[in-house]
């Protein structure tokens, strides 16, 4: 979820990769892989936990989504490619459907989490007009962040400005029609790309928490009218990419391979710093999933943009 200057056209040629080097999970007592290998050239970005030990991970290289298993440390393709940089953040709803943010394609997509069938595509903005970055299922909607609008007619430049906003798509019942999409402009400073990034819900479930990458801040957002304010944190943290909330604990994927853990107030209006965690061996982690007493973060390796691509497990105790 960081600014990328070139588009990779890597081909995914390996499937069913299995990692080694198990780590003991403090919660379940199971041996869980500390690293999960991804195919050569995969270029991962989003990750989301599904039912049981299932997870999903997105590829920036070709826009495909792969399904994996936390316990076995194995991955396999779930969907067909959708184009470079067209699968960014991921979320899974109660029906097991996988929602994908479409980056500069301006689209949101929803897939069957078992078959990989594309159920619907929502063109939130025109292609290369903006950067649809991350998604969370909160309440009765899948909420997508927009990191900024395009500043240059050349799509390869990836030059985006601000206009902070989110899009909401109903998730209850069958896949909705495109006219059910809600666009909500947010009362958040526009300081240039990337503005909004990761997204979560507050502990009481009534509001949204949105990461602002450029400001290294988290904003509390009213999903009814877009009113927002920066939450108070007792000490600064470096960068703000993907978010994951577990109860009142909020995990932030920072710049590089660090994760900030905050303890939120009940309403998510303020937070206290708890600790910094490190994904040892990773270069630039992006998003976060949780399973078996640990955090899982894909390493996009934005600095080198080369193999090896992996998912790293960070124990919480």
């Amino acid at each position: 979820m960081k600014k990328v200057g070139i588009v990779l056209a890597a081909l995914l040629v390996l499937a069913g990769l299995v990692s080694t080097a198990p780590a003991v999970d403090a919660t379940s007592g199971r041996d869980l892989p500390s690293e999960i290998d991804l195919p050569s050239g995969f270029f991962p970005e989003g990750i989301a936990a599904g039912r049981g030990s299932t997870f999903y991970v997105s590829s920036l290289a070709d826009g495909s989504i792969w399904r994996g298993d936390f316990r076995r440390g194995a991955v396999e393709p779930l969907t067909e490619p959708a184009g470079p940089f067209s699968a960014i953040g991921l979320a899974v709803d109660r029906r097991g459907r996988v929602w994908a943010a479409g980056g500069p394609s301006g689209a949101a997509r929803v897939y069957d989490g078992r078959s990989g069938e594309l159920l619907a595509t929502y063109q939130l903005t025109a292609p290369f007009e903006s950067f649809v970055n991350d998604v969370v299922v909160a309440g009765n909607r899948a909420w997508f962040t927009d990191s900024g609008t395009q500043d240059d007619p050349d799509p390869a430049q990836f030059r985006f400005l601000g206009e902070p906003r989110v899009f909401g798509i109903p998730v209850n019942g069958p896949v909705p029609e495109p006219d059910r999409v809600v666009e909500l402009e947010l009362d958040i400073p526009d300081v240039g790309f990337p503005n909004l990034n990761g997204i979560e819900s507050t502990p009481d479930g009534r509001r949204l928490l949105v990461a602002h990458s450029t400001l290294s801040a988290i904003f509390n957002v009213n999903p009814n009218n877009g009113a927002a304010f920066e939450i108070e944190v007792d000490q600064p943290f470096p960068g703000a990419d993907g978010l994951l909330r577990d109860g009142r604990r909020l995990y932030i994927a920072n710049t590089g391979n660090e994760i900030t853990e905050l303890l939120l107030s009940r309403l998510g209006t303020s937070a206290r710093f708890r600790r910094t965690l490190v994904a040892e061996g990773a270069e630039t982690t992006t998003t976060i999933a949780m399973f078996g007493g640990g955090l899982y973060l894909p390493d996009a390796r934005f600095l080198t943009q080369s193999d090896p691509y992996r998912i790293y497990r960070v124990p919480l105790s």
Side-chain angles (χ1 to χ4, degrees):
M1 296 187 187
K2 299 182 174 61
K3 186 174 181 180
V4 180
I6 61 174
V7 175
L8 298 185
L11 297 177
L12 305 182
V13 296
L14 298 177
L17 297 181
V18 180
S19 66
T20 56
V24 176
D25 173 63
T27 301
S28 66
R30 295 177 179 271
D31 284 346
L32 297 175
S34 59
E35 299 175 4
I36 299 175
D37 293 327
L38 297 172
S40 176
F42 191 83
F43 204 4
E45 214 290 343
I47 189 170
R51 293 171 177 169
S53 57
T54 299
F55 70 88
Y56 303 90
V57 59
S58 61
S59 167
L60 290 172
D62 70 356
S64 64
I65 298 171
W66 286 46
R67 179 173 51 204
D69 186 279
F70 287 123
R71 291 194 177 100
R72 294 189 297 111
V75 294
E76 61 184 4
L78 175 71
T79 74
E80 295 293 327
F85 291 90
S86 61
I88 316 297
L90 302 176
V92 181
D93 67 18
R94 289 183 292 273
R95 293 173 174 247
R97 299 175 298 198
V98 181
W99 297 81
S105 73
R109 298 181 180 87
V110 56
Y111 297 90
D112 185 293
R114 291 186 176 181
S115 68
E117 176 189 358
L118 177 62
L119 301 176
T121 297
Y122 301 89
Q123 200 63 49
L124 305 180
T125 71
F128 295 101
E129 178 182 290
S130 63
F131 196 99
V132 182
N133 202 324
D134 206 355
V135 55
V136 67
V137 174
N140 61 357
R141 294 184 185 272
W143 290 99
F144 294 80
T145 57
D146 187 353
S147 290
T149 50
Q150 177 68 288
D151 178 32
D152 194 299
D154 179 4
Q157 296 301 313
F158 282 92
R159 292 177 57 185
F160 296 89
L161 295 175
E163 299 185 19
R165 58 184 171 177
V166 294
F167 299 90
I169 304 175
V171 297
N172 292 342
V175 174
E177 296 298 321
D179 60 5
R180 300 288 304 282
V181 175
V182 172
E183 178 179 341
L184 188 64
E185 294 184 5
L186 305 186
D187 184 21
I188 289 178
D190 174 4
V191 295
F193 183 85
N195 274 306
L196 308 186
N197 204 322
I199 184 169
E200 258 292 355
S201 60
T202 54
D204 66 353
R206 296 183 178 181
R207 296 172 68 98
L208 301 173
L209 297 172
V210 180
H212 196 300
S213 291
T214 302
L215 295 178
S216 294
I218 308 297
F219 283 82
N220 182 305
V221 175
N222 185 330
N224 297 313
N225 58 19
F229 59 88
E230 183 177 348
I231 71 169
E232 300 177 4
V233 183
D234 57 0
Q235 72 178 65
F237 47 88
D241 199 330
L243 300 180
L244 177 71
R245 183 182 60 78
D246 179 40
R248 289 175 54 195
R249 296 186 181 186
L250 182 68
Y251 299 95
I252 307 168
N254 302 140
T255 302
N257 64 349
E258 293 185 349
I259 306 101
T260 295
E261 181 182 326
L262 303 178
L263 181 64
L264 294 164
S265 63
R266 184 176 60 85
L267 300 180
T269 58
S270 63
R272 290 189 291 107
F273 174 85
R274 291 197 74 247
R275 57 178 170 169
T276 297
L277 301 164
V278 178
E280 297 289 351
E283 182 190 284
T284 45
T285 52
T286 50
T287 51
I288 313 172
M290 178 181 287
F291 177 78
L295 304 178
Y296 289 80
L297 300 94
D299 184 6
R301 295 176 59 82
F302 282 124
L303 299 179
T304 57
Q305 297 187 5
S306 62
D307 296 334
Y309 289 114
R310 297 188 176 103
I311 297 169
Y312 288 83
R313 181 180 187 275
V314 179
L316 290 175
S317 60

